[in-house]
Amino acid sequence: MATIQRKNTVKIVFTTEAQRPSALEIHNWIDGTLHITEDQIDMIQLNTLERSVYIKLVSAVHYDRLLNKYTDPVNFQYDNGTIVKVALQRADVNTVTVRLFNLPPEIDDKTVVQSLSPYGAVRHVRPEVWSTQYKYPVHNGVRAVRIEIKKHIPIKLVIAGYAVILHYPGQPQLCHICGEESHLRSQCPNKKFNLPVNITERKLLLSDVVRGGTSNVGSQHG
């Protein structure tokens, strides 16, 4: 994790489902939606790895004013008319949405919070749902957790006895087998290889016949 904190910087977070906006779309959105003037901005930085945009303000006054004005998610409209919700948050606090897969709904949120608390302060847990394009817009089994992350979370955890897969923006690409960052699963030295099975036919031995029953002995050596 980073040891030097950003100052007077707002982080605009896009969800993993959102398409990547162009730089021009971001500039137009900052102007047309957030209404930040050029003299108030020190930097606009696109972070494609985190699917986010950092806006550094020239002073703490402008920084606090922007965060206080937009406490809820804001609409981001692409040039093609598509609208998605984006979150504005403090960049000096690394808050991410961690998505948990394969966890049964019977596991309560309290258990999820306890399992993730070693990695940071959990702020919110909610179940995701299928979008309205599907026939059944019910819960899809994915748990979305907002957490002020202090250290990176493994890609796999065991929660209440279940093997859970976790993903979040900026998560290091780790090996699914040993959890190391230096390689992926296909190159893992701890990977178990299946030995080839020899299916070549061989001549029937007397021991094979005996195991199959004494009645076959005569037929082989009669």
Side-chain angles (χ1 to χ4, degrees), residues 9-14 21-46 52-57 66 69-70 74-79 86 88:
T9 305
V10 175
K11 183 178 182 181
I12 314 297
V13 182
F14 288 79
S22 68
L24 183 58
E25 287 174 320
I26 291 171
H27 278 250
N28 290 337
W29 175 76
I30 293 174
D31 177 40
T33 301
L34 301 185
H35 306 294
I36 309 175
T37 59
E38 182 179 350
D39 61 310
Q40 297 174 347
I41 298 179
D42 183 54
M43 180 201 71
I44 300 174
Q45 181 184 53
L46 280 61
S52 60
V53 178
Y54 290 94
I55 305 175
K56 182 176 176 60
L57 288 303
L66 183 63
K69 183 178 180 180
Y70 298 102
V74 183
N75 286 336
F76 182 96
Q77 183 168 345
Y78 297 87
D79 288 344
V86 296
L88 279 72

Side-chain angles (χ1 to χ4, degrees), residues 37-134:
T37 59
E38 182 179 350
D39 61 310
Q40 297 174 347
I41 298 179
D42 183 54
M43 180 201 71
I44 300 174
Q45 181 184 53
L46 280 61
N47 190 316
T48 56
L49 181 63
E50 298 180 357
R51 300 183 66 85
S52 60
V53 178
Y54 290 94
I55 305 175
K56 182 176 176 60
L57 288 303
V58 297
S59 71
V61 174
H62 296 308
Y63 168 70
D64 291 333
R65 184 182 301 163
L66 183 63
L67 286 177
N68 291 333
K69 183 178 180 180
Y70 298 102
T71 56
D72 296 323
V74 183
N75 286 336
F76 182 96
Q77 183 168 345
Y78 297 87
D79 288 344
N80 63 8
T82 302
I83 298 176
V84 298
K85 291 287 187 180
V86 296
L88 279 72
Q89 62 188 41
R90 295 171 49 188
D92 58 348
V93 176
N94 190 13
T95 304
V96 298
T97 297
V98 182
R99 304 178 75 225
L100 281 65
F101 298 84
N102 306 334
L103 194 64
E106 287 77 12
I107 308 302
D108 58 26
D109 291 345
K110 183 179 179 180
T111 302
V112 174
V113 172
Q114 291 174 343
S115 299
L116 295 182
S117 59
Y119 304 96
V122 177
R123 297 305 180 195
H124 183 66
V125 181
R126 65 173 175 82
E128 292 188 355
V129 298
W130 290 100
S131 67
T132 54
Q133 67 177 318
Y134 297 99

Side-chain angles (χ1 to χ4, degrees), residues 175-180 183-193:
C175 173
H176 284 234
I177 297 177
C178 66
E180 293 292 331
H183 58 267
L184 298 180
R185 177 174 182 169
S186 58
Q187 290 83 37
C188 183
N190 297 323
K191 182 178 180 181
K192 295 181 180 179
F193 295 93

